[in-house]
């Protein structure tokens, strides 16, 4: 138990502290208190931590260590030792909440397994900020993180999400934004509604809304800064009857719309909820 943030602890405490995604003055007030009181501060980038502390006039008294993707596995045991020794460890990443597509999961899992208290300083989140300003439905959503970098793996991931009804939120690197949007448009349709949220809360914040095809064309000129993509969920497609005549008609309709026969068979099978071979047989066997 802990007697307040600066009180003595009977056991160690791991604090996941959210940091601003743009403006330093968006930092939650408790962030300064936690950083000043920490025995150990584990930072994704110690230089960014120092800049943030300077902006917020925070004086650190605890030990600062780097904790990023490249050393997360090696550094976790030492942080766990500090926690088991009763120390207060504060984890911060470059922006937003630790462990959300950032370092943190390993130490959280280790602390939970060791029955060590884990708490957080709630604060800014690019996921929720982008969702809120996107103009897309927010009643149900899912966070999908970063898409695979390789085109084939990316296409497979997007195909897996083809039936997802919830609004989807993705992180993406600026130099891969065009490719990601183009792949989404190819798999989900150019008209599917989306929003590209760039540099959220920063000076050059921009939210570009439209169909995926139009967004991909816009991104072809180059995108700069931190990018979060929000895409509407799949529409409720009408069921496809499974008799041979209906299957043939559904495939023919999609071929008339420009799909290849193979693509049409795959989609009709998915909508009908039957194996592809049954649609193939309906189309090719008289």
């Amino acid at each position: 138990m802990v007697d307040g943030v600066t009180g003595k602890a009977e056991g160690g405490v791991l604090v996941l502290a959210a940091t601003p995604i743009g403006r330093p003055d968006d930092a939650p007030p408790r962030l300064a208190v936690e950083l000043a009181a920490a025995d150990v501060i584990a930072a994704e980038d110690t230089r960014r931590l120092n800049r943030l502390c300077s902006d917020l006039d925070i004086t650190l008294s605890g030990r600062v260590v780097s904790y990023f993707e490249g050393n997360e596995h090696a550094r976790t045991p030492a942080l766990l030792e500090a926690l088991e020794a009763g120390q207060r460890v504060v984890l911060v990443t470059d922006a937003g909440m630790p462990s959300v597509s950032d370092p943190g999961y390993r130490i959280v899992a280790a602390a939970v397994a060791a029955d060590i208290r884990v708490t957080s300083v709630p604060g800014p989140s690019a996921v929720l900020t982008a969702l809120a300003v996107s103009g897309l439905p927010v009643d149900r959503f899912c966070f999908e993180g970063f898409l695979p970098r390789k085109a084939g793996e990316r296409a497979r991931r997007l195909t897996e999400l083809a039936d997802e009804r919830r609004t989807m939120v993705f992180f993406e690197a600026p130099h891969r934004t065009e490719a990601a949007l183009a792949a989404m448009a190819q798999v989900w349709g150019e008209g599917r509604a989306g929003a590209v949220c760039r540099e959220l809360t920063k000076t050059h914040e921009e939210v570009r809304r439209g169909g995926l095809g139009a967004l991909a064309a816009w991104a072809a000129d180059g995108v700069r800064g931190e990018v979060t993509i929000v895409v509407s969920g799949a529409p409720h497609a009408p069921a496809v009857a499974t008799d041979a005549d209906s299957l043939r008609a559904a495939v023919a309709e999609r071929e008339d719309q420009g799909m290849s026969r193979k693509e049409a068979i795959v989609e009709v099978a998915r909508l009908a909820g039957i194996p592809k071979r049954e649609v193939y047989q309906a189309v090719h066997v008289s």
Side-chain angles (χ1 to χ4, degrees), residues 12-282:
V13 180
L14 174 63
V15 182
L16 308 178
T19 55
I21 60 176
R23 297 161 51 106
D25 53 0
D26 285 338
R30 206 179 111 217
L31 176 63
V33 178
E34 287 287 358
L35 287 172
D39 297 301
V40 181
I41 302 101
E44 184 177 11
D45 187 327
T46 58
R47 293 168 299 180
R48 289 200 182 192
L49 172 64
N50 289 333
R51 285 198 297 270
L52 179 63
C53 289
S54 176
D55 290 337
L56 301 179
D57 196 24
I58 301 171
T59 300
L60 301 179
S61 59
R63 178 168 55 95
V64 177
V65 299
S66 64
Y67 192 72
F68 56 93
E69 184 179 2
N71 70 2
E72 186 178 4
H73 181 76
R75 280 278 164 85
T76 295
L79 292 179
L80 184 60
E81 286 182 9
L83 290 166
E84 291 175 330
Q87 294 186 328
R88 194 174 190 88
V89 176
V90 175
L91 176 63
V92 293
T93 53
D94 291 347
M97 179 61 68
S99 81
V100 180
S101 281
D102 278 329
Y105 169 76
R106 284 189 174 90
I107 185 59
V108 171
V112 170
D115 199 25
I116 291 169
R117 182 184 171 207
V118 180
T119 187
S120 70
V121 177
S125 165
V127 176
L128 295 180
T129 302
L131 181 70
V133 303
S134 69
L136 299 174
V138 298
D139 54 333
R140 298 179 68 236
F141 71 94
C142 60
F143 174 57
E144 291 294 329
F146 286 91
L147 289 170
R149 297 182 181 185
K150 295 183 179 179
E153 295 176 4
R154 182 170 55 225
R156 284 191 289 274
R157 175 74 61 79
L158 294 175
T159 300
E160 292 171 357
L161 293 170
D163 294 327
E164 177 57 66
R165 302 286 189 233
R166 296 171 294 181
T167 297
M168 295 170 282
V169 184
F170 301 85
F171 286 162
E172 193 50 271
H175 63 281
R176 290 197 298 270
T177 298
E178 178 193 3
L181 290 168
M184 290 176 180
Q186 182 176 8
V187 177
W188 298 337
E190 294 189 354
R192 177 84 72 93
V196 179
C197 305
R198 188 181 70 83
E199 294 289 86
L200 285 169
T201 77
K202 299 177 183 177
T203 302
H204 300 291
E205 177 182 273
E206 179 180 18
V207 180
R208 179 75 58 158
R209 304 174 182 89
L212 291 174
L215 290 173
W218 163 78
D221 292 332
V223 177
R224 293 182 179 182
E226 301 290 333
V227 174
T228 305
I229 300 173
V230 187
V231 184
S232 64
H236 290 276
V240 175
T242 57
D243 63 279
D245 288 340
S246 296
L247 294 175
R248 280 195 294 270
V251 170
E253 178 183 357
R254 284 156 179 78
E255 286 183 296
D256 289 341
Q257 294 173 352
M259 281 190 179
S260 68
R261 176 161 293 185
K262 181 179 179 180
E263 291 172 333
I265 288 173
V266 170
E267 178 169 310
V268 170
R270 177 174 60 81
L271 293 175
I274 60 177
K276 290 182 290 184
R277 65 176 180 277
E278 293 187 22
V279 182
Y280 182 91
Q281 290 172 349

